[in-house]
């Protein structure tokens, strides 16, 4: 019997494919899928980002909703090393990049990627031998390379950030190895672009490692962007691997209770204090910092210096770090227009519910049923409550003894866009309570510090209502609308249909009364009024 061909067996030979990659014969739907759970056959999308410092492949599953990454790998190639002196790509970096790209193209084929997009940024754009490098990549991988202009790169970074922060206001700053891309943002609208030769690798080289000289270069070039004056008192949204590494250090230094970079937000004063401190550290001290890739030790102080200089130039109210950037923007550009306008958080939660829920997804049904408990309610609060409803069955397969705390941690760190850290905490505590967890658990207490008393109360009521909803119905859709929650004056009423055998139990009564007590209301269960 002949062996199946291995797409990775000959890493030295070109991968024969065209862009977009040849369509697969189609993934088979799994037998026995419940209604509403069928897999979609729209294929997978891959984006390869050929940067000045790293080359990264991200593969996204594309169902009927916004895709989420299923594979993410980077290779540190340092294509832009020495570019500021030689004007050319690093010869060693070119060979490292070609090896990585050959692997990534082969993996994409093996994973059934139907559209593989290769994009190159500042180093390839600026190098005198960039065109020759692109030709080698296309010959080796059989996939066209799109060399982004500075404006394209900045715009795509903005598209990626706005996917998770749709009302971002102020400026976006994307620091790569070769350039700093700046975009003005007006309550979610993309404005003016600027691209400056201020990447962390380029800064280190142009200044010959002299941080005082690097700071002077930063201040001189930032002064050429007049619209940065308008950022004062608004938001600065930071993107790029080096600044994400800085965010991890900031989180450690501030003892922040949530180790998630996306939407980690700090005040201007905290940010500039920490950025200036890190910009002054020796390499040996940087290497001793926790939660940091040692390969970044050489240039991290220059990335910190770039942030400090930008903060001095703009003086924003606060600084937010984003895990979403140009790659996500490029991925979104490949999607049909009707998918791009979806709420990224809700879309991701709906997909999660459909993939892992025991029954057909019915988050809206639960949301509407418990809505009388939350009137009046702001749109942002309703959105967060819907996300909690969609994820309310996330822990069903866990061991009962650990279900609550495992579900809490899973929701707290879920890799979905569109969540601030307080919103993550509120959702996680709601799901903890839904599974009967204790709010005073030692693993929960630090996260509670992210919430106001009102936030914590909403999380508690949401969790208790979810617990009651799943107790009433066993999690099955279609039953909950037969019951009714009524909040009137100082009372909370649960109306049940005429046949009490389906809905009424000791557990239902106990959990309903606990919900009423949490709201300081008098609880009453009665038959549905005819």
């Amino acid at each position: 019997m002949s062996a199946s061909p291995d797409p990775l067996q000959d890493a030295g030979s070109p991968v024969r494919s065209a862009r977009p990659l040849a369509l697969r014969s189609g993934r088979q739907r799994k037998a026995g899928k419940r209604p509403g759970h069928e897999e979609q056959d729209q294929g997978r999308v891959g984006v390869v980002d050929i940067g000045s410092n790293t080359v990264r492949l991200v593969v996204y599953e594309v169902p009927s909703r916004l895709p989420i990454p299923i594979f993410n790998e980077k290779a540190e190639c340092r294509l832009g090393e020495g570019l500021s002196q030689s004007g050319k790509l690093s010869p060693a970096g070119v060979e490292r990049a070609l090896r990585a790209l050959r692997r990534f193209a082969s993996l994409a084929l093996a994973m059934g990627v139907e559209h593989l997009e290769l994009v190159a940024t500042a180093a390839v754009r600026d190098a005198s031998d960039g065109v020759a490098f692109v030709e080698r990549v296309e010959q080796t991988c059989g996939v066209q390379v799109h060399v982004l202009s500075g404006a394209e790169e900045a715009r795509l970074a903005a598209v990626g950030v706005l996917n998770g922060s749709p009302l971002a206001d102020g400026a976006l700053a994307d620091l790569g190895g070769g350039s700093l891309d700046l975009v003005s943002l007006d309550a979610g609208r993309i404005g003016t672009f600027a691209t400056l030769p201020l990447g962390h690798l380029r800064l280190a080289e142009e200044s010959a490692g002299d941080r005082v000289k690097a700071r002077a270069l930063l201040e001189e070039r930032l002064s050429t962007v007049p619209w940065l004056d308008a950022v004062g008192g608004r938001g600065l949204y930071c993107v790029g691997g080096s600044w994400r590494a800085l965010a991890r250090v900031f989180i450690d230094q501030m003892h922040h209770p949530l180790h998630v970079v996306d939407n980690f937000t700090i005040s201007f004063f905290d940010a500039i204090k920490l950025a200036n401190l890190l910009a002054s550290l020796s390499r040996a001290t940087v290497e001793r910092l926790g939660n940091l890739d040692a390969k970044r030790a050489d240039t991290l102080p220059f990335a910190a210096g770039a942030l400090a200089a930008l903060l001095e130039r703009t003086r924003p109210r606060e600084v937010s770090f984003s895990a979403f950037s140009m790659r996500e923007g490029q991925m979104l550009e490949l999607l049909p227009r009707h998918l791009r306008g979806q709420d990224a958080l809700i879309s991701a939660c709906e997909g999660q519910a459909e993939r892992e829920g025991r029954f057909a997804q019915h988050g809206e049904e639960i949301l509407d049923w418990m809505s009388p408990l939350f009137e009046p309610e702001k749109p942002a609060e309703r959105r967060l409550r819907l996300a909690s409803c969609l994820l309310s069955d996330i822990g069903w397969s866990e061991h009962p003894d650990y279900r609550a705390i495992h579900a809490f941690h899973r929701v707290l760190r879920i890799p979905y866009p569109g969540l601030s850290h307080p919103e993550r905490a509120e959702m996680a505590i709601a799901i903890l309570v839904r599974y009967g967890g204790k709010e005073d658990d030692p693993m929960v207490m630090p996260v509670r510090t992210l919430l106001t008393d009102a936030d914590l109360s909403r999380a508690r009521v949401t969790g208790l209502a979810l617990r009651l909803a799943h107790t009433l119905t066993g999690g099955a859709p279609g039953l909950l609308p037969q019951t009714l929650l009524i909040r009137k004056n100082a009372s909370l009423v649960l109306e049940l249909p005429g046949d009490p055998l389906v809905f009424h139990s000791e557990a239902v009564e106990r959990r309903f009364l606990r919900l009423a007590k949490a709201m300081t209301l008098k609880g009453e269960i009665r038959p549905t009024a005819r």
Side-chain angles (χ1 to χ4, degrees):
M1 181 175 65
S2 61
S4 299
D6 180 0
L8 302 179
Q9 66 183 358
D10 184 4
S13 61
V15 178
R16 301 299 180 189
S17 61
R19 190 177 71 89
L21 293 175
L23 294 177
R24 297 163 297 154
S25 59
R27 286 168 287 156
Q28 296 295 316
R29 287 189 173 93
K30 296 178 182 178
K33 275 286 187 181
R34 295 180 300 278
H37 287 250
E38 293 86 355
E39 294 182 20
Q40 304 295 320
D41 289 328
Q42 295 184 29
R44 289 172 176 169
V45 169
V47 177
V48 177
D49 176 5
I50 306 171
S52 302
N53 190 45
T54 62
V55 175
R56 184 186 293 268
L57 166 66
V58 184
V59 175
Y60 301 89
E61 191 75 68
V62 185
S64 59
R65 296 184 174 86
L66 281 175
I68 58 173
I70 60 172
F71 180 81
N72 188 330
E73 182 179 308
K74 73 173 180 179
E76 185 161 342
C77 300
R78 296 206 166 206
L79 269 175
E81 195 166 48
L83 178 63
S84 59
Q85 283 83 35
S86 69
K88 295 183 177 181
L89 298 172
S90 160
V94 166
E95 297 307 316
R96 287 191 291 264
L98 287 171
R99 286 196 298 271
L101 289 165
R102 191 178 297 121
R103 166 179 163 78
F104 289 164
S106 297
L107 283 174
L109 283 174
M111 292 176 182
V113 170
E114 295 182 358
H115 189 118
L116 182 63
E117 188 83 5
L118 269 62
V119 292
T121 55
V124 176
R125 180 172 67 237
D126 297 342
S128 61
D129 56 350
V131 173
F133 171 74
V134 167
E135 289 174 352
R136 287 188 66 185
V137 172
E138 292 181 344
Q139 181 181 15
T140 300
C141 299
V143 183
Q144 293 176 355
V145 178
H146 180 194
V147 181
L148 298 174
S149 68
E152 283 180 302
E153 186 176 353
R155 185 186 65 80
L156 288 173
V159 170
V161 168
L162 291 173
N163 183 47
S165 302
L167 296 178
D169 184 71
L172 174 145
D174 184 356
L175 183 72
S179 67
L180 173 63
D181 298 319
L182 301 166
V183 186
S184 66
L185 299 172
D186 182 12
R189 292 187 295 274
I190 299 174
T192 309
F193 307 91
T195 297
L196 302 176
L198 290 174
H200 57 89
L201 287 177
R202 183 170 288 184
L203 268 176
E205 291 172 0
E206 286 195 29
S207 65
D210 185 328
R211 298 181 194 178
V212 175
K213 184 177 179 181
R215 186 62 174 257
L217 286 170
L218 284 159
E219 291 173 357
E220 175 191 346
R221 292 173 186 174
L222 287 170
S223 69
T224 66
V225 186
W227 58 261
L228 288 176
D229 295 338
V231 179
R234 298 160 75 195
L236 180 65
Y237 301 84
C238 292
V239 174
S242 289
W243 279 350
R244 286 193 293 271
L246 274 183
R248 294 185 187 97
V249 175
F250 289 0
I251 287 170
D252 282 345
Q253 294 298 311
M254 297 179 71
H255 304 290
H256 187 69
L258 180 52
H259 284 249
V260 172
V261 168
D262 190 46
N263 271 323
F264 169 59
T265 302
I266 54 176
S267 71
F268 162 76
F269 296 103
D270 284 337
I272 199 164
K273 178 176 68 175
L274 287 167
N276 278 321
L277 173 62
L278 288 171
S280 70
L281 297 181
S282 67
R283 189 185 195 284
T285 304
V286 171
E287 286 180 334
R288 290 197 295 270
L289 293 173
N291 202 16
L292 179 68
D293 187 341
K295 294 178 181 178
R296 293 197 180 273
D298 286 330
T299 61
L300 191 73
F302 292 93
L307 179 58
L310 183 60
L311 288 169
E312 286 285 9
R313 176 70 178 83
T314 56
R315 303 192 73 81
R317 181 185 71 258
E318 62 186 17
V319 180
S320 296
F321 295 86
S322 176
F324 298 88
S325 60
M326 183 274 291
R327 286 182 298 275
E328 286 70 30
Q330 181 66 60
M331 175 274 296
L332 289 166
E333 296 273 289
L334 300 175
L335 295 178
R337 188 169 298 276
H338 73 277
L339 290 183
R340 299 181 209 170
Q342 293 182 353
D343 183 306
L345 171 64
I346 299 305
S347 172
C349 291
E350 287 173 340
Q352 179 89 25
E354 289 176 356
R355 288 191 306 275
E356 298 189 17
R358 292 172 293 171
F359 306 101
Q361 186 267 104
H362 60 298
E364 291 273 3
E365 181 179 291
I366 303 174
L367 177 85
D368 292 341
W369 175 80
M370 67 165 73
S371 285
L373 307 179
F374 298 94
E375 296 171 351
E377 184 177 44
K378 298 175 182 177
E381 293 171 340
R382 180 179 174 84
R383 171 181 179 266
L384 195 64
R385 189 162 59 85
L386 173 56
S388 299
C389 291
L390 289 164
L391 296 180
S392 63
D393 209 25
I394 196 170
W396 73 268
S397 62
E398 299 278 358
H399 189 287
D401 293 349
Y402 305 100
R403 187 172 288 156
I405 200 66
H406 284 187
F408 165 81
H409 283 301
R410 191 173 177 192
V411 171
L412 187 66
R413 298 163 182 163
I414 207 157
Y416 294 164
L419 282 171
S420 69
H421 282 203
E423 287 173 334
R424 285 180 176 274
E426 183 175 332
M427 279 182 59
I429 290 175
I431 299 302
L432 174 88
V433 172
R434 174 264 183 270
Y435 283 112
K438 297 180 179 179
E439 294 176 42
D440 59 355
D441 187 296
M443 288 187 281
V444 178
M445 290 299 291
V447 175
R448 287 180 53 169
T449 63
L450 296 172
L451 300 179
T452 66
D453 289 344
D455 294 336
L456 185 58
S457 177
R458 277 185 57 86
R460 183 182 301 119
V461 172
T462 300
L464 290 172
L466 288 170
R467 189 162 177 79
L468 175 61
H470 282 273
T471 304
L472 275 166
T473 66
L479 296 175
L480 207 53
Q482 299 179 42
T483 72
L484 188 64
L485 278 175
I486 303 170
R487 181 179 180 178
K488 187 175 181 181
N489 299 325
S491 297
L492 181 65
V493 177
L494 173 62
E495 287 194 351
L496 301 178
D499 181 2
L501 295 179
V502 176
F503 295 103
H504 205 167
S505 70
E506 185 272 333
V508 166
E509 183 172 351
R510 184 177 69 252
R511 290 172 183 175
F512 168 71
L513 292 176
R514 186 180 174 196
L515 171 62
K517 182 179 180 181
M519 300 180 69
T520 62
L521 300 173
K522 180 182 178 182
E524 177 189 355
I525 299 177
R526 68 189 186 198
T528 302
R530 295 187 181 276

